[in-house]
């Protein structure tokens, strides 16, 4: 059974999410404040974490950093009443994989959880190519590890999925629409710049410290990964 940690100080919301998830076959731990969330996260292993942003003791950002430091791969979905671009950016920068603004529909939360957990479980069957090398970039699809020039690069689950998708289509320009569908499993929402945001994160981690750039933009068309500009 897949195990989910819910950290949320609004007891009603927390309990409703817990109940909904249990009805859908998940095992759920709830923490009603940041301190409790931190201690549960430190002593258990979870398949996914749902984090409220405003919490007593530690806020969701701080908690997200703690969780990331322990398990770089666990998907983290942030919940918050704030929906500003700055808040989203900060959530993504601190390693959240997705972001839901309250009030949200439980079915939407469930759909996003399923996307993350499905991907986490059923990846290597898609292709038998377990290692991808592009110039000095290496992606180990079994270990989900990425190195460049031999140096390990820490990516969040979503960053990894995006990079792997581009790498599997090396040299091909991939539209944002395709990325939204294949990597995020969503129909393209013109109101979100989440793909640009993630491309920026990847560039910082993959290209920033190297002279030869591997991630490229074809203006108005999409993105591609290639050793040639
Ligand atoms: Ca709260």
């Amino acid at each position: 059974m897949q195990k989910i940690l819910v950290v949320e100080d609004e007891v009603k919301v927390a309990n409703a999410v817990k109940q909904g998830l249990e009805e859908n076959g998940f095992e759920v731990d709830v923490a009603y404040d940041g301190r409790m969330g931190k201690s549960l996260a430190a002593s258990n292993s979870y398949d996914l974490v749902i984090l409220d942003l405003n919490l007593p003791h530690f806020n969701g950002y701080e908690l997200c950093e703690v969780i990331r430091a322990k398990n770089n791969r666990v998907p983290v979905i942030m919940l918050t009443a704030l929906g500003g671009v700055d808040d989203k950016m900060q959530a993504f920068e601190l390693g959240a994989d997705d972001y839901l603004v309250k009030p949200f529909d439980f079915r939407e939360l469930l759909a996003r959880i399923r996307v993350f957990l499905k991907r986490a479980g059923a990846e290597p069957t898609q292709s038998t190519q377990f290692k991808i090398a592009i110039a000095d970039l290496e992606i180990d699809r079994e270990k989900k590890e990425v190195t460049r020039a031999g140096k390990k690069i820490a990516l969040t689950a979503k960053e990894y999925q995006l990079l792997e998708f581009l790498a599997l289509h090396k040299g091909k320009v991939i539209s944002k629409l395709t990325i939204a569908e294949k990597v995020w499993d969503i129909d393209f929402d013109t109101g979100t710049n989440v793909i640009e945001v993630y491309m920026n994160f990847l560039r910082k981690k993959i290209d920033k410290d190297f002279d030869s750039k591997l991630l490229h933009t074809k203006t108005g068309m999409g993105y591609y990964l290639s050793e040639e500009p």
Side-chain angles (χ1 to χ4, degrees):
M1 202 187 271
Q2 287 173 312
K3 205 169 167 187
I4 295 176
L5 173 62
V6 177
V7 190
E8 165 64 87
D9 61 317
E10 282 171 67
V11 175
K12 259 185 162 175
V13 177
N15 291 345
V17 169
K18 177 180 163 72
Q19 194 193 337
L21 291 175
E22 284 175 347
E23 283 168 8
N24 282 279
F26 296 101
E27 193 182 338
V28 183
D29 283 347
V30 175
Y32 298 101
D33 64 51
R35 195 176 293 154
M36 194 178 162
K38 192 177 168 181
S39 88
L40 281 174
S43 51
N44 295 279
S45 98
Y46 293 99
D47 297 293
L48 188 135
V49 179
I50 298 168
L51 259 189
D52 183 34
L53 184 55
N54 289 312
L55 292 164
H57 307 307
F58 299 100
N59 68 32
Y61 295 142
E62 293 168 305
L63 208 51
C64 190
E65 278 187 301
V66 170
I67 290 166
R68 277 279 169 258
K70 185 183 174 245
N71 177 356
N72 196 40
R73 290 270 168 260
V74 64
V76 174
I77 299 177
M78 286 250 189
L79 299 180
T80 177
L82 312 166
V85 173
D86 286 350
D87 299 306
K88 292 185 189 181
M89 294 292 282
Q90 199 180 350
F92 286 135
E93 269 169 37
L94 292 173
D97 296 290
D98 209 339
Y99 191 100
L100 264 184
V101 178
K102 290 183 200 169
F104 57 87
D105 188 324
F106 177 76
R107 287 168 302 178
E108 190 179 359
L109 177 64
L110 186 63
R112 296 193 189 193
I113 289 169
R114 290 211 162 116
V115 168
F116 283 112
L117 294 181
K118 187 180 73 190
R119 282 181 194 291
E123 196 106 20
T125 46
Q126 290 175 357
S127 163
T128 50
Q129 194 184 359
F130 288 125
K131 286 198 179 168
I132 307 172
I134 294 166
D136 55 358
L137 176 75
E138 279 182 22
I139 301 170
D140 184 322
R141 300 183 65 212
E142 281 186 304
K143 293 185 186 159
K144 311 280 178 214
E145 276 178 8
V146 174
T147 58
R148 180 141 192 210
K151 206 180 121 199
K152 212 163 165 178
I153 296 171
L155 297 179
T156 66
K158 262 286 166 257
E159 289 166 353
Y160 175 84
Q161 285 161 18
L162 176 58
L163 181 71
E164 186 192 75
F165 186 74
L166 290 171
L168 285 168
H169 300 86
K170 182 192 157 187
K172 266 197 195 160
V173 177
I174 311 285
S175 72
K176 276 196 240 176
L177 182 64
T178 303
I179 293 172
E181 281 175 8
K182 303 290 184 192
V183 180
W184 268 266
D185 254 10
I186 50 169
D187 291 327
F188 196 57
D189 170 7
T190 46
T192 170
N193 63 345
V194 66
I195 295 166
E196 282 111 289
V197 169
Y198 269 86
M199 284 304 297
N200 284 334
F201 293 154
L202 272 186
R203 286 202 163 102
K204 269 190 210 161
K205 292 183 176 181
I206 304 293
D207 277 345
K208 195 175 147 259
D209 298 333
F210 297 89
D211 289 336
S212 68
K213 308 300 180 196
L214 300 175
L215 291 159
H216 308 283
T217 304
K218 192 108 179 164
T219 311
M221 313 252 250
Y223 303 101
Y224 62 103
L225 183 61
S226 170
E227 47 214 281
E228 273 141 51

Short mmCIF file of all heavy atoms in Angstrom, two decimals, residues 7-10 52-56 79-81 102, ligand 1:
data_model
loop_
_atom_site.label_atom_id
_atom_site.label_comp_id
_atom_site.label_asym_id
_atom_site.label_seq_id
_atom_site.Cartn_x
_atom_site.Cartn_y
_atom_site.Cartn_z
N VAL A 7 0.54 17.10 5.73
CA VAL A 7 0.86 18.07 6.78
C VAL A 7 -0.03 19.28 6.57
O VAL A 7 0.11 20.01 5.59
CB VAL A 7 2.35 18.49 6.75
CG1 VAL A 7 2.69 19.30 7.99
CG2 VAL A 7 3.26 17.28 6.63
N GLU A 8 -0.96 19.46 7.47
CA GLU A 8 -2.00 20.50 7.29
C GLU A 8 -2.56 20.83 8.65
O GLU A 8 -2.99 19.95 9.39
CB GLU A 8 -3.08 19.94 6.34
CG GLU A 8 -4.38 20.69 6.30
CD GLU A 8 -4.24 22.11 5.77
OE1 GLU A 8 -4.31 22.29 4.54
OE2 GLU A 8 -4.08 23.03 6.60
N ASP A 9 -2.55 22.14 9.02
CA ASP A 9 -3.02 22.51 10.35
C ASP A 9 -4.52 22.77 10.41
O ASP A 9 -5.08 22.87 11.50
CB ASP A 9 -2.24 23.72 10.88
CG ASP A 9 -2.42 24.94 10.00
OD1 ASP A 9 -2.37 24.78 8.76
OD2 ASP A 9 -2.59 26.04 10.53
N GLU A 10 -5.17 22.92 9.26
CA GLU A 10 -6.62 23.04 9.29
C GLU A 10 -7.19 21.63 9.43
O GLU A 10 -7.17 20.84 8.47
CB GLU A 10 -7.15 23.68 8.01
CG GLU A 10 -6.97 25.19 7.98
CD GLU A 10 -7.31 25.76 6.60
OE1 GLU A 10 -8.48 25.70 6.22
OE2 GLU A 10 -6.38 26.21 5.92
N ASP A 52 0.94 21.68 3.49
CA ASP A 52 0.34 23.01 3.53
C ASP A 52 1.48 24.01 3.69
O ASP A 52 2.54 23.70 4.25
CB ASP A 52 -0.62 23.09 4.73
CG ASP A 52 -1.32 24.43 4.80
OD1 ASP A 52 -1.61 25.00 3.73
OD2 ASP A 52 -1.58 24.90 5.91
N LEU A 53 1.27 25.20 3.17
CA LEU A 53 2.34 26.21 3.23
C LEU A 53 2.41 26.89 4.60
O LEU A 53 3.47 26.95 5.21
CB LEU A 53 2.10 27.24 2.12
CG LEU A 53 3.14 28.32 1.94
CD1 LEU A 53 4.52 27.74 1.74
CD2 LEU A 53 2.75 29.19 0.76
N ASN A 54 1.27 27.40 5.07
CA ASN A 54 1.27 28.09 6.36
C ASN A 54 0.97 27.12 7.49
O ASN A 54 -0.14 26.61 7.60
CB ASN A 54 0.25 29.22 6.36
CG ASN A 54 0.70 30.36 5.48
OD1 ASN A 54 1.84 30.81 5.56
ND2 ASN A 54 -0.17 30.78 4.59
N LEU A 55 1.99 26.86 8.30
CA LEU A 55 1.88 25.87 9.37
C LEU A 55 2.50 26.43 10.63
O LEU A 55 3.44 27.21 10.56
CB LEU A 55 2.67 24.62 9.00
CG LEU A 55 2.18 23.74 7.85
CD1 LEU A 55 3.31 22.81 7.42
CD2 LEU A 55 0.96 22.94 8.26
N PRO A 56 2.02 26.01 11.79
CA PRO A 56 2.72 26.38 13.02
C PRO A 56 4.10 25.71 13.08
O PRO A 56 4.28 24.62 12.55
CB PRO A 56 1.81 25.82 14.13
CG PRO A 56 0.51 25.51 13.48
CD PRO A 56 0.81 25.23 12.05
N LEU A 79 0.10 22.75 -0.75
CA LEU A 79 -1.25 23.29 -0.70
C LEU A 79 -1.15 24.68 -0.10
O LEU A 79 -0.45 24.87 0.89
CB LEU A 79 -2.12 22.47 0.24
CG LEU A 79 -2.36 21.01 -0.07
CD1 LEU A 79 -3.25 20.43 1.02
CD2 LEU A 79 -3.02 20.86 -1.42
N THR A 80 -1.85 25.63 -0.67
CA THR A 80 -1.78 26.93 -0.06
C THR A 80 -2.94 27.82 -0.46
O THR A 80 -3.53 27.64 -1.51
CB THR A 80 -0.46 27.64 -0.43
OG1 THR A 80 -0.50 28.94 0.14
CG2 THR A 80 -0.30 27.75 -1.92
N ALA A 81 -3.23 28.78 0.41
CA ALA A 81 -4.26 29.76 0.09
C ALA A 81 -3.68 30.84 -0.81
O ALA A 81 -4.40 31.59 -1.43
CB ALA A 81 -4.78 30.38 1.38
N LYS A 102 -5.76 26.60 -2.54
CA LYS A 102 -7.02 26.34 -1.83
C LYS A 102 -8.05 27.41 -2.16
O LYS A 102 -7.66 28.56 -2.33
CB LYS A 102 -6.77 26.37 -0.31
CG LYS A 102 -5.97 25.22 0.21
CD LYS A 102 -5.94 25.42 1.72
CE LYS A 102 -4.81 24.66 2.35
NZ LYS A 102 -4.65 25.06 3.75
CA1 LIG B 1 -2.40 26.35 7.14
#
